[in-house]
Amino acid sequence: MSVDTRSPGSPPVAGASRPTSPTPRSTWRAGRLIVLLGLVVVLAAVASVLLGSGRGPARPLDPDDTSLMGSRALAELLRERGVTVDRVDSTQAAVDKAATGDRLLLITDQAYVDVGRLAELPGDRLIVGDVIGLPALAPGVSTLPQAARPRSREPGCPLPAARVAGSAHMGGVAFRGPPGSTGCYPAGDGHTLVSYANGRGVTTVVGDGGFMTNQRLAEDGNAALALNLLSTGKPVTWVVPPENPPPGELAGEQGQSMYDLMPGNVRWVIYMAIIAVALTAFWRGRRLGPVVVEKLPVVVRAAETVEGRGRLYRARHARERAAAALRAGTIDRLTARLGLGHGAGPQEVVAALAARTVEDPHQLGAALYGPPPADDARLVELAGYLDLIERQLSEL
Amino acid sequence: MALTGRAGLLAAIGILVVMFAPLPGPALAGVCLLLAAAIIVDLVFAGAVRPLRFHRSGETLMRLGQRATVELVVENPGPRRVRGVLRDAWQPSAGASPRIAPLDVPAGERRKVVVTLDPTRRGDRTSVAVTVRSVGPLGLAARQGSHQAPWSVRVLPPFLSRKHLPSRLARLRELDGQHPALVRGQGTEFDSLREYVVGDDVRSIDWRATARRHDVVVRTWRPERDRRVLIVLDTGRTSAGRVGDAPIPLAGAEGRGGGLPAQSSLGSSLGSSLGPLLGPDSRPAPGWPRLDWSMDAALLLAALAAKAGDQVDFLAYDRAVRAWVSGESRTELLSSLVNAMAPIEAELIEADSQGMVAAILSRAKRRCLVVLLTDLNSAALDEGLMPVLPQLSARHLVLVAGVSDPRVAAMAGRRDSTEEVYDAAAAEHAQLGRRRITARLRRHGVEVVDAAPDDIAPALADAYLALKAAGRL
């Protein structure tokens, strides 16, 4: 048992004043561990960036990318087999390569290229995915509206490259080829691989490049299919998106960016504004002394339990209980007023009441001891009537 | 350290400078360097805050509803003038003003800051810290530091019911037979014999004494003295409920807890003239806790009993003894009581009636009047007090006093709409429970006082006087 033994005579009072704010030394002592830890974290981050592989974000279907999404493995395999793989990142480079001889042009849906110029190049083509400008690159091939889920599919066609490779991870877009074309790896109404020959060379369209990635190359017949499609004996021109968007290709007469159009001071004005806002924030944010806490007593009105009970009655339409409570209260007051004992029966109360008021005894009996009211309106009526009886009695 | 608005303003002017400078980069560097240099100069030449010394004096005791002043002397032993602002951080319900005071103390001198306290509730209010912000000569930056200069003011219960004391003391004198109108003392203890004066009650003539003398002699009686009164305050959860209208608004009485509407003060001002408005939207401000009304009644009873020559003890209990005042002299009693009551708040736990009765029995060895100030809540009493009441009433005279809720009475009377009728039924249910528990207590030989908050103190005093007149103490 804890006993509050504080003597009632004297409230706690006063002593000498002493400073409580931290000194610079104590601040340093308290914060040095955090500062050191922060330094360690920053150094570790800097070191990891500097010493790291310098790998940028993944570049899907890039012959130089070693991530899961890249295709470095396929390119290496091709080179081992004596196939020259040239990675080009612009339309101009592809056109230049094409001038050197008969080549296989590999265009994936990752590369945004000038379709018009590439479409005019002669030679074989391998088009992977839903490339923009497909009708120009592969005339006669149409894409079907419903996509095919990439999964392992059986070739189901006489094309030697696919038949030898067997099942492969295919899907993505389904195509319908022109008359005379060979469709493999069927999906729905179309095929996810369509190959046909025209005047320029053999054009092959594949719905998805998944089978060429480092991740999937070892599965199924993926490697075989990719090698069969690309090892045609011709050097491969592999078109990838450029590292940086080429400059000077912006809209407008001079091709200027928004930053070129801003006056030179604006950048510095923004820096100065940041400093000004920081100073103002520090001015407004510095509190004059500590926040004072205080244990406040709870604020709850004593009537809340009664109000809650009333609301429960109302919510459940508890007319029976409400009427019983109203009647009990009235009878309790009436018996005291009529000079009856607490054990007075219904007949006694009604008789005594009828003798002192002008009300009908039957009505009194029904109001005080009758069945519960049938609806809310009757309940209000009953409450009013009980009130009336009490008022009549008190006016005597 | 702290900055002032001027530093921000200078930086904002710097924006304009950088905007129109021919060389924006060097201009930005120049502005920043200038600003930093000015701030550093200001910090270096601002008066030091750390060596300041503070001395306090002023009141340590006050009644709720009064104002008190506490003086704070700031001594500056440093070599530079300390100019700026000072905040004496009191707890919010101490109502300290001014919150922030201007300060200008030259080197080696001292200045006085006066803080006025207008507390909004009982209890000990303390000053947590004194913070000084000393601005430098340029007005750009300031040194800031806090000091502890502890001071505590005990806010005592207001004892508003003392206005009823003169009339009850007059009644007491009537009982005592000392009234100028020569009314016969109504006590039961024989006091003295004196000569008959016209106006005396002939029934009090002592014929035997008259026969021995030539004069007619009357007996005077006086009420018993040196009886014991033990006032027990229940500080459990039922005492936390707020009832009535607060005569002095307590902290948290408005706009706190439970999302009270902003017009609550309007509701209470209307409520005093039109009767409290009832409805889902108009929720009047909660009044005082039952505990405070009970304290008010206890103080009136204690003052009256002390005047009547009785020994008054005081116990506050919920699950442990919160306060215990015993054996105080009649002159010291009231100050001891208010001191003991000041820090007591209702605990949000069920009171332990068994422990309370045990505490009473162990403290009151002789028969006394036990005045138990609690709530007449039938559910709480049924489980708590009723089983152990016989132990108490067998040895002592027990008086249970409960503060009723006028809001419930008002709810019971309003029956115009469906909602109001359901509320009225709930109120009737509560009132019926209260009347039944009262009847049961009376059957146990316990006196019961059940009154509205404003009437509880005089009603309790009257019940005490009635018991005294009847010689039941």
Side-chain angles (χ1 to χ4, degrees):
Chain A
M1 190 172 80
S2 70
V3 180
D4 184 7
T5 51
R6 182 150 70 185
S7 82
S10 58
V13 175
S17 75
R18 60 181 180 81
T20 53
S21 297
T23 59
R25 181 173 297 183
S26 71
T27 311
W28 163 241
R29 235 177 246 163
R32 63 185 165 186
L33 189 69
I34 295 167
V35 170
L36 283 177
L37 279 178
L39 273 179
V40 167
V41 168
V42 167
L43 283 179
V46 168
S48 72
V49 166
L50 290 180
L51 302 176
S53 61
R55 239 172 21 198
R59 298 165 58 82
L61 297 181
D62 189 315
D64 277 356
D65 190 275
T66 54
S67 73
L68 291 177
M69 305 296 289
S71 295
R72 176 79 173 266
L74 178 60
E76 290 297 322
L77 283 178
L78 286 171
R79 283 183 188 125
E80 273 175 28
R81 290 169 173 245
V83 178
T84 315
V85 177
D86 292 315
R87 179 178 178 272
V88 298
D89 63 357
S90 69
T91 314
Q92 187 58 47
V95 171
D96 293 346
K97 290 281 178 198
T100 60
D102 195 13
R103 300 180 75 95
L104 173 72
L105 186 63
L106 170 56
I107 304 169
T108 67
D109 54 359
Q110 303 296 323
Y112 302 100
V113 289
D114 190 349
V115 175
R117 292 182 68 188
L118 287 182
E120 290 162 9
L121 295 179
D124 297 346
R125 281 169 203 173
L126 177 58
I127 299 160
V128 178
D130 192 9
V131 177
I132 297 166
L134 186 71
L137 290 168
V141 176
S142 56
T143 57
L144 298 179
Q146 64 269 45
R149 191 171 63 81
R151 62 175 172 84
S152 183
R153 294 174 193 271
E154 291 299 325
C157 71
L159 188 74
R163 191 162 43 83
V164 172
S167 65
H169 185 84
M170 298 294 282
V173 189
F175 305 97
R176 184 171 291 144
S181 67
T182 315
C184 296
Y185 302 104
D189 296 337
H191 297 89
T192 57
L193 187 149
V194 170
S195 183
Y196 67 98
N198 59 7
R200 293 197 200 90
V202 179
T203 300
T204 310
V205 186
V206 183
D208 182 55
F211 72 103
M212 291 164 65
T213 59
N214 296 336
Q215 184 183 8
R216 301 214 182 269
L217 198 64
E219 299 171 7
D220 256 353
N222 290 350
L225 177 65
L227 289 173
N228 290 345
L229 289 175
L230 290 167
S231 316
T232 53
K234 300 173 190 170
V236 176
T237 306
W238 196 316
V239 183
V240 296
E243 199 84 44
N244 294 306
E249 293 185 7
L250 291 163
E253 279 174 25
Q254 285 90 31
Q256 282 178 324
S257 75
M258 189 179 76
Y259 300 102
D260 299 332
L261 291 169
M262 280 197 299
N265 285 18
V266 167
R267 190 150 56 107
W268 300 100
V269 165
I270 289 170
Y271 293 152
M272 194 62 220
I274 290 171
I275 291 170
V277 168
L279 289 182
T280 311
F282 188 66
W283 162 48
R284 297 310 302 170
R286 184 85 165 103
R287 211 172 39 228
L288 188 57
V291 172
V292 183
V293 295
E294 182 180 4
K295 197 182 156 204
L296 286 174
V298 64
V299 178
V300 53
R301 286 170 308 136
E304 258 174 29
T305 51
V306 178
E307 285 166 11
R309 181 181 280 272
R311 259 179 241 129
L312 275 180
Y313 280 169
R314 205 186 314 161
R316 307 308 311 160
H317 297 287
R319 283 182 289 274
E320 196 173 335
R321 282 175 182 276
L326 288 171
R327 283 166 171 166
T330 304
I331 292 167
D332 197 59
R333 281 189 293 273
L334 287 180
T335 47
R337 219 180 160 77
L338 293 168
L340 300 170
H342 269 285
Q347 282 83 10
E348 284 177 69
V349 174
V350 171
L353 206 53
R356 284 169 176 78
T357 59
V358 295
E359 302 293 324
D360 177 39
H362 290 289
Q363 204 181 347
L364 285 173
L368 287 177
Y369 298 101
D375 52 29
D376 282 353
R378 296 268 173 77
L379 181 67
V380 176
E381 231 169 73
L382 172 71
Y385 187 66
L386 293 176
D387 233 16
L388 180 75
I389 299 171
E390 283 195 58
R391 222 173 306 135
Q392 283 192 7
L393 207 61
S394 64
E395 279 166 8
L396 287 178
Chain B
M1 70 168 267
L3 294 180
T4 65
R6 272 188 216 179
L9 188 66
L10 273 187
I13 292 170
I15 297 176
L16 292 180
V17 172
V18 173
M19 191 180 288
F20 296 112
L23 295 170
L28 177 114
V31 167
C32 287
L33 279 176
L34 255 173
L35 204 56
I39 286 173
I40 288 171
V41 165
D42 233 15
L43 284 176
V44 168
F45 287 99
V49 173
R50 180 165 289 276
L52 290 181
R53 282 201 283 273
F54 298 89
H55 311 277
R56 285 203 194 255
S57 61
E59 291 165 57
T60 58
L61 281 176
M62 62 185 297
R63 246 180 228 297
L64 183 60
Q66 293 176 334
R67 283 163 181 270
T69 54
V70 173
E71 288 158 4
L72 180 69
V73 173
V74 185
E75 186 186 343
N76 180 13
R80 290 203 189 84
R81 183 192 196 102
V82 171
R83 192 172 54 85
V85 291
L86 176 144
R87 174 182 166 221
D88 193 1
W90 286 83
Q91 288 174 335
S93 65
S97 66
R99 206 180 91 81
I100 294 171
L103 186 72
D104 190 356
V105 191
E109 293 189 26
R110 42 174 68 191
R111 290 285 182 273
K112 186 163 77 179
V113 177
V114 178
V115 177
T116 309
L117 302 181
D118 186 10
T120 51
R121 65 187 184 97
R122 276 185 299 112
D124 290 329
R125 298 286 88 82
T126 56
S127 167
V128 175
V130 178
T131 307
V132 174
R133 184 176 283 185
S134 163
V135 183
L138 298 175
L140 287 176
R143 294 195 198 183
Q144 180 173 321
S146 292
H147 287 250
Q148 267 197 346
W151 191 260
S152 171
V153 173
R154 176 160 282 188
V155 184
L156 305 173
F159 193 13
L160 295 172
S161 60
R162 63 178 177 275
K163 65 185 175 207
H164 298 294
L165 193 56
S167 61
R168 267 64 193 181
L169 285 178
R171 288 272 312 282
L172 189 67
R173 278 195 295 274
E174 278 176 29
L175 294 183
D176 235 359
Q178 295 166 355
H179 196 262
L182 299 174
V183 175
R184 188 187 75 142
Q186 290 171 345
T188 49
E189 217 167 72
F190 176 72
D191 187 21
S192 61
L193 293 169
R194 63 170 170 79
E195 283 180 18
Y196 176 81
V197 185
V198 177
D200 274 346
D201 190 344
V202 289
R203 283 174 299 175
S204 59
I205 294 173
D206 185 341
W207 295 109
R208 199 185 292 261
T210 304
R212 280 201 296 273
R213 298 209 212 169
H214 299 294
D215 274 332
V216 181
V217 173
V218 291
R219 279 185 205 158
T220 59
W221 308 84
R222 63 164 199 193
E224 323 93 320
R225 301 179 73 87
D226 295 323
R227 300 303 149 117
R228 292 180 162 270
V229 178
L230 173 57
I231 301 172
V232 182
L233 198 56
D234 174 5
T235 57
R237 64 166 180 91
T238 51
S239 297
R242 299 194 174 218
V243 293
D245 293 324
I248 300 163
L250 291 188
E254 281 179 2
R256 247 179 221 282
L260 296 167
Q263 70 270 23
S264 56
S265 58
L266 179 73
S268 67
S269 65
L270 280 176
S272 55
S273 55
L274 304 173
L277 300 165
L278 189 70
D281 298 327
S282 65
R283 313 208 320 169
W288 266 7
R290 281 206 168 91
L291 185 70
D292 287 59
W293 295 110
S294 298
M295 281 180 183
D296 208 38
L299 286 173
L300 180 63
L301 175 63
L304 190 61
K307 285 278 184 194
D310 290 336
Q311 178 68 48
V312 180
D313 297 335
F314 171 75
L315 175 71
Y317 196 96
D318 40 68
R319 293 189 93 76
V321 177
R322 298 287 164 203
W324 168 240
V325 177
S326 173
E328 289 291 333
S329 70
R330 274 160 209 170
T331 48
E332 291 294 310
L333 177 71
L334 270 191
S335 64
S336 298
L337 276 185
V338 290
N339 246 322
M341 284 177 181
I344 297 177
E345 293 291 348
E347 303 286 330
L348 294 185
I349 48 176
E350 191 74 45
D352 171 17
S353 297
Q354 211 163 354
M356 185 187 285
V357 168
I360 293 168
L361 290 176
S362 70
R363 280 170 170 75
K365 302 292 183 205
R366 283 166 50 193
R367 181 186 144 83
C368 59
L369 170 67
V370 176
V371 179
L372 180 55
L373 289 154
T374 181
D375 180 28
L376 290 169
N377 181 319
S378 59
L381 285 187
D382 258 340
E383 287 176 13
L385 188 63
M386 294 310 285
V388 286
L389 194 62
Q391 293 176 34
L392 200 60
S393 54
R395 284 184 53 186
H396 302 288
L397 175 62
V398 182
L399 192 158
V400 176
V403 186
S404 68
D405 192 347
R407 195 172 156 76
V408 173
M411 276 167 73
R414 264 189 306 266
R415 305 174 168 197
D416 295 332
S417 67
T418 315
E419 288 81 21
E420 286 182 355
V421 168
Y422 279 119
D423 280 346
E428 285 280 14
H429 183 268
Q431 285 185 325
L432 198 64
R434 219 174 158 85
R435 282 201 294 273
R436 293 213 170 120
I437 201 78
T438 305
R440 281 178 61 197
L441 284 169
R442 290 212 166 106
R443 277 204 294 282
H444 276 85
V446 173
E447 295 291 318
V448 180
V449 175
D450 183 6
D454 292 323
D455 304 327
I456 185 71
L460 184 61
D462 289 344
Y464 166 78
L465 288 173
L467 286 175
K468 199 149 184 78
R472 289 184 59 195
L473 287 188

